[in-house]
Amino acid sequence: MAPRGRHQALITGLWHWGGRGHSQPLTLSLSLSLQVVARFNRLRQEQRGLASKAAELELELNEHSLVIETLREVDPTRKCYRMVGGILVERTVKEVLPALENNKEQISKIIETLNQQLQTKGRELNDFREKHNIRLMGEDDQKQPSKENAEGAGAKTSSAGVLVS
């Protein structure tokens, strides 16, 4: 029996039967599959990073909205303080309010851009999964048998693919 590597549980469909009934690893396929898993994990990490940044900016947008609503109700000549580059500066409400509204608009635009990038990354990730037949651990495998039944009883699909935890 071939030695079981640490990635053997993650890679499926890469073993073939050698001469006397022993399974032999396909070294090239194993290496390529490890590269596929690494690329997939990189794509997932990029997607998570985009989602995290979008969520962070959503919180900042909500904070800006609350401050703008509060400042609209006070006297425009009233003193207020604003943090600029780590320094607290004294201004009036009428000076600060337009800057806050401008910042809010800019944050909204950035969030829109991030959401578009997130959708693009999601499509890229799904295309990559389909191209390389990647299944996540815990994912329902009940979808595949229904496809096989629709193709006919004699039709068999390839079981080669990558299983990612």
Side-chain angles (χ1 to χ4, degrees):
M1 194 62 123
R4 294 178 185 253
R6 116 179 191 212
H7 298 289
Q8 194 236 347
L10 297 178
I11 312 299
T12 60
L14 300 177
W15 297 85
H16 69 92
W17 292 101
R20 296 174 257 149
H22 297 287
S23 62
Q24 301 293 322
L26 295 173
T27 307
L28 182 59
S29 292
L30 182 61
S31 174
L32 289 174
S33 292
L34 291 176
Q35 291 174 4
V36 166
V37 170
R39 171 92 169 113
F40 178 72
N41 285 332
R42 246 189 335 271
L43 287 172
R44 282 189 356 181
Q45 188 60 34
E46 291 169 9
Q47 185 184 38
R48 285 185 194 121
L50 288 170
S52 174
K53 188 63 176 175
E56 177 184 327
L57 287 174
E58 286 284 346
L59 290 174
E60 195 168 323
L61 184 67
N62 290 337
E63 286 178 16
H64 274 70
S65 296
L66 287 172
V67 172
I68 289 170
E69 286 177 32
T70 303
L71 289 179
R72 282 189 179 147
E73 298 173 4
V74 299
D75 180 27
T77 59
R78 185 174 175 178
K79 289 181 187 179
C80 66
Y81 297 90
R82 179 175 183 214
M83 185 75 72
V84 178
I87 299 172
L88 196 60
V89 293
E90 182 180 317
R91 299 278 187 242
T92 62
V93 170
K94 69 180 177 185
E95 294 172 329
V96 170
L97 198 55
L100 285 173
E101 290 170 338
N102 184 39
N103 284 354
K104 182 181 172 187
E105 277 183 42
Q106 296 300 319
I107 292 169
S108 293
K109 289 178 184 177
I110 292 170
I111 290 171
E112 276 183 43
T113 303
L114 283 174
N115 284 333
Q116 290 171 355
Q117 290 175 353
L118 190 58
Q119 289 176 353
T120 302
K121 188 62 68 178
R123 284 191 296 273
E124 182 183 352
L125 193 58
N126 286 335
D127 292 344
F128 192 80
R129 281 183 68 187
E130 288 177 20
K131 179 180 176 183
H132 296 284
N133 192 23
I134 296 173
R135 293 176 292 128
L136 298 176
M137 290 182 68
E139 203 173 59
D140 289 335
D141 290 333
Q142 296 173 355
K143 296 175 188 175
Q144 290 177 351
S146 64
K147 286 182 184 178
E148 289 177 10
N149 290 341
E151 292 173 0
K156 292 186 179 179
T157 59
S158 172
S159 64
V162 180
L163 180 64
V164 179
S165 60

